[in-house]
Amino acid sequence: METDRSRVTVDIRRADFDRSILEQIDTGCDLLVLDWKLETPDARGVLDTFRQNAPDTQILVLSEDVPADDPVDRGADELLVGPHSDEKLCLTIERLLLQGAYEEAMNEFFRLSTERALLESERQSDVDAADRYQSIVCNLNESRRRAATIRDELSVDEFNRSLRQLFDK
């Protein structure tokens, strides 16, 4: 992947098949690219394990043909059927990473909005929450800017897909 032309920062790590997949799962991983023809370990087991242990990780499944057992039905976010160009693969990876980043930014925005509303109630009840309220308002504004920046990177279709996924959760 040509990371110098990418809209997102990419740190690529490969699985070490001499070690247990369970040991290698990193909940901080944003995207798993999984070859559906992988046999040892079984791709279906890897997908299931990631969904259970790292539910926020986006999963892109690559397949040479349309599989009988649909990876999206098992929890994958996207299925890319080959043959496909390197450009198509890179664009799909970028879109999934941007969608994930946007979802994360919006979740933080909603969390901060809720906390601000609670602090407003406490302030009205004469509870001393002014410092915490100011901190939340600053964080909320920063979260709003971050979400807007990510949203500007998404095409209309990518943005609509991100919103559908966000509301589905």
Side-chain angles (χ1 to χ4, degrees):
M1 185 169 174
E2 295 182 31
T3 58
D4 57 326
R5 294 187 327 172
S6 178
R7 297 182 289 172
V8 295
T9 303
V10 179
D11 177 25
I12 300 171
R13 288 180 267 152
R14 295 185 182 271
D16 176 0
F17 294 118
D18 293 331
R19 293 180 26 222
S20 167
I21 292 298
L22 287 173
E23 294 173 5
Q24 298 177 66
I25 292 177
D26 180 0
T27 57
C29 182
D30 296 320
L31 176 70
L32 168 67
V33 179
L34 181 61
D35 185 348
W36 201 240
K37 70 179 179 188
L38 184 67
E39 292 179 8
T40 307
D42 179 62
R44 288 138 198 86
V46 172
L47 174 61
D48 294 343
T49 300
F50 258 85
R51 271 296 153 242
Q52 291 172 1
N53 295 292
D56 294 332
T57 299
Q58 297 267 20
I59 299 176
L60 169 62
V61 172
L62 304 178
S63 181
E64 293 176 0
D65 54 17
V66 178
D69 54 339
D70 189 352
V72 174
D73 288 343
R74 287 187 84 110
D77 295 290
E78 183 90 19
L79 169 63
L80 189 58
V81 177
H84 51 76
S85 66
D86 289 343
E87 181 180 8
K88 172 86 171 164
L89 175 62
C90 289
L91 289 173
T92 302
I93 288 171
E94 282 182 353
R95 179 179 47 78
L96 286 170
L97 290 171
L98 283 170
Q99 284 176 205
Y102 185 70
E103 183 177 319
E104 181 182 309
M106 291 306 296
N107 284 335
E108 178 69 1
F109 177 77
F110 292 139
R111 185 191 68 75
L112 290 168
S113 295
T114 301
E115 190 170 346
R116 181 185 68 177
L118 290 171
L119 287 169
E120 283 177 356
S121 295
E122 288 179 7
R123 284 180 55 199
Q124 292 172 0
S125 302
D126 291 331
V127 174
D128 186 23
D131 290 341
R132 181 72 182 138
Y133 179 81
Q134 284 299 340
S135 174
I136 290 298
V137 169
C138 289
N139 290 342
L140 184 60
N141 289 332
E142 179 58 35
S143 179
R144 182 179 292 129
R145 281 191 293 278
R146 181 170 177 255
T149 300
I150 295 168
R151 184 183 60 238
D152 290 344
E153 290 291 325
L154 296 169
S155 69
V156 171
D157 289 339
E158 291 169 341
F159 176 71
N160 289 337
R161 180 180 273 173
S162 293
L163 280 181
R164 281 193 302 275
Q165 285 183 339
L166 187 63
F167 290 131
D168 285 345
K169 292 184 178 186

